[in-house]
Amino acid sequence: MSPVIEFNQVSKRFVLHKDQRKTVQERVIGLVRPRPPGDVFWALRDVDFTVEEGQSLGLVGHNGAGKSTALKLITRILEPTSGRVRTRGRIAALLELGSGFHPELNGRENVFLYGSLMGIGRREMERKLEEIVDFADIGPFIDTEIKHYSSGMYTRLAFAVATAVDPDILITDEVLAVGDEAFQRKCMERIYGFRRAGKTIIFVSHALEVVRSLCDVAVWLDHGQQRADGPAGTVIDAYLAEVNRKEKIRLENERTREGEESEDASPATESLFRRGTREVEVVRVQLLDETGEERAVFHTGKSLTIRIHYEAHEPITEPVFGVGIYHESGIWISGPNTGFDSVAIPRIMGQGFLDYTVNDLPLLTGRYSLSVAVVDSTQLHVFDLHDRLYQIVVHNDAGRERYGMLALRGTWRCDA
């Protein structure tokens, strides 16, 4: 194999001018006076990597890390400030919505326009037209000006054309961010088909598990600088470790602020998230890992302990403690309690705590909210309920299940 894309110490600089001229007089004066120097912004700084023929490369990093700038340099939309970018072969690119098509032309005309830009004649594009229209699934709208298209229709047509011209290199930037579920599946099927055909793919997505399964190698960009490159799984694990670290700091800071604000909260504000008669109060909730360390980020398959600190202001017989686990989408995943699990608590008085431990956390990558509650033995009278007041982030670093909310850990049997 030989490189089809080479990034050799590439940097890209933008100058952001603070031009405050608003009146006609000020604009005229500005024609003879030099513009004031602007702020220099380095979108990329000394980025260096190569992509071999037939490889799939994933670009990962936060929003604004420089991923889209790198793609624009590969497609020659931008030129580097320093360094060198080399490419070999026909490139089809799906970048930001709106690039590549003319809004005043209809879908059919834009198909031929795209083909001409790729060096493909009208006769060949006519042979591909039926396949393109069928994949895009936009029916009679193919003869409508695309300025009237929805974002989903536009993306379907753009993807259909870009993948129909048989490129050597396919570049996609968040192609799954727009479109319905059926379209996303069709896109991924075609992308995997390109990979099986030995095409080179540059894939940008925040769906890291898709990057992990699709890409051979990856590059992690952080504020324009290259933090890591190598096998996709290794790079993604390093990126997630940094995300975990920052997420932990952020959530801890938010909890500190929320604690300060709750001291001054009015009863009306508090009642939005908490209710109960308070004969028993939940005074603190800790989220602990297997070492007993309090944290906000947990991992699939590892231990999670929810420690509920309480204070009973009077003797309470047979209280029931419970927790609720919710996905960020609002789906209630589970709601265990000591009553259902036949955990006898004869009587409480004063201060104490109760632990609920999940030794093998089945939650997959995502954000989750936790509720805690203490109720009477009938589970009808609420002493204290904290409704989704606690947040955790879960990452599935190396689990064999990647999609959905829960790891079922089932077994397979093949009778072939």
Side-chain angles (χ1 to χ4, degrees):
M1 291 192 300
S2 58
V4 293
I5 299 175
E6 295 180 75
F7 255 54
N8 186 5
Q9 296 296 311
V10 173
S11 297
K12 180 59 183 177
R13 180 186 64 189
F14 296 98
V15 179
L16 308 177
H17 291 283
K18 297 179 179 178
D19 193 346
Q20 305 258 334
R21 296 188 295 272
K22 296 180 181 179
T23 67
V24 174
Q25 182 180 5
E26 287 170 331
R27 291 195 184 99
V28 172
I29 294 173
L31 294 175
V32 296
R33 288 183 182 174
R35 280 182 117 182
D39 295 330
V40 174
F41 169 68
W42 289 94
L44 292 176
R45 199 73 183 262
D46 297 326
V47 174
D48 192 279
F49 64 85
T50 62
V51 185
E52 303 291 333
E53 184 177 358
Q55 271 190 333
S56 297
L57 170 88
L59 289 177
V60 300
H62 59 83
N63 289 328
K67 304 185 297 296
S68 295
T69 299
L71 298 186
K72 290 176 182 177
L73 290 168
I74 293 173
T75 55
R76 301 298 182 185
I77 294 173
L78 298 174
E79 291 296 325
T81 304
S82 63
R84 183 175 59 187
V85 179
R86 283 183 171 181
T87 62
R88 179 168 57 85
R90 177 185 290 172
I91 299 174
L94 281 167
L95 304 180
E96 70 268 9
L97 198 64
S99 62
F101 285 171
H102 195 292
E104 298 298 329
L105 300 180
N106 64 34
R108 187 187 304 272
E109 292 165 337
N110 270 293
V111 168
F112 294 119
L113 173 63
Y114 191 96
S116 67
L117 294 174
M118 297 290 292
I120 301 175
R122 185 178 183 88
R123 185 171 298 176
E124 184 175 350
M125 290 305 296
E126 284 177 346
R127 289 197 295 268
K128 296 177 181 292
L129 183 61
E130 183 177 352
E131 173 198 343
I132 291 170
V133 174
D134 181 63
F135 186 92
D137 193 24
I138 58 175
F141 290 100
I142 189 65
D143 292 310
T144 301
E145 294 176 350
I146 66 168
K147 65 182 179 182
H148 300 302
Y149 282 15
S150 67
S151 58
M153 292 169 60
Y154 186 102
T155 304
R156 291 202 299 273
L157 181 60
F159 188 89
V161 178
T163 54
V165 297
D166 193 28
D168 302 301
I169 302 170
L170 176 66
I171 297 176
T172 67
D173 188 359
E174 291 293 353
V175 69
L176 300 181
V178 179
D180 55 29
E181 180 68 22
F183 167 71
Q184 292 178 11
R185 291 181 183 182
K186 287 172 67 176
C187 285
M188 290 310 303
E189 287 173 4
R190 180 158 287 191
I191 290 173
Y192 276 104
F194 268 69
R195 185 186 183 193
R196 290 191 294 271
K199 304 290 186 179
T200 302
I201 299 171
I202 311 297
F203 190 75
V204 173
S205 175
H206 290 292
L208 296 180
E209 298 307 324
V210 178
V211 177
R212 192 192 294 268
S213 62
L214 173 69
C215 298
D216 308 303
V217 294
V219 173
W220 169 19
L221 297 177
D222 185 2
H223 294 94
Q225 296 187 324
Q226 186 172 334
R227 290 285 298 272
D229 65 276
T234 302
V235 173
I236 289 171
D237 288 344
Y239 172 55
L240 282 175
E242 178 67 7
V243 171
N244 292 349
R245 186 187 68 82
K246 291 181 177 179
E247 188 80 8
K248 179 179 179 180
I249 293 172
R250 184 186 68 80
L251 290 174
E252 287 175 348
N253 290 338
E254 284 185 2
R255 285 181 178 175
T256 300
R257 288 195 299 270
E258 288 171 359
E260 293 171 351
E261 292 170 359
S262 65
E263 294 178 359
D264 300 323
S266 67
T269 302
E270 189 181 46
S271 67
L272 294 173
F273 307 99
R274 187 180 182 187
R275 62 184 176 87
T277 55
R278 311 287 179 86
E279 290 90 342
V280 185
E281 286 192 84
V282 175
V283 294
R284 185 185 180 194
V285 174
Q286 291 180 286
L287 305 175
L288 310 174
D289 63 13
E290 59 272 11
T291 66
E293 179 185 355
E294 191 169 3
R295 59 191 304 162
V297 179
F298 292 83
H299 299 268
T300 306
K302 301 296 184 180
S303 174
L304 163 65
T305 294
I306 303 170
R307 177 164 291 175
I308 305 170
H309 295 263
Y310 65 83
E311 183 173 0
H313 301 294
E314 60 185 63
I316 302 294
T317 303
E318 297 181 347
V320 174
F321 288 83
V323 302
I325 302 175
Y326 298 80
H327 187 258
E328 63 181 341
S329 63
I331 296 173
W332 189 1
I333 296 173
S334 185
N337 68 41
T338 57
F340 298 150
D341 290 332
S342 301
V343 177
I345 306 175
R347 181 177 181 273
I348 60 172
M349 176 63 191
Q351 295 182 343
F353 68 85
L354 193 84
D355 286 348
Y356 178 72
T357 299
V358 182
N359 291 315
D360 189 1
L361 187 64
L363 301 179
L364 295 177
T365 299
R367 293 172 179 266
Y368 299 85
S369 298
L370 305 180
S371 299
V372 299
V374 54
V375 298
D376 74 347
S377 58
T378 68
Q379 301 191 33
L380 299 175
H381 181 81
V382 177
F383 294 127
D384 200 2
L385 166 63
H386 294 202
D387 184 17
R388 284 167 280 189
L389 280 177
Y390 308 97
Q391 284 73 44
I392 66 169
V393 175
V394 178
H395 285 294
N396 181 22
D397 294 337
R400 58 190 177 96
E401 294 182 60
R402 304 284 172 81
Y403 305 112
M405 300 179 193
L406 295 175
L408 298 180
R409 298 186 180 89
T411 58
W412 297 91
R413 179 178 177 272
C414 179
D415 193 27

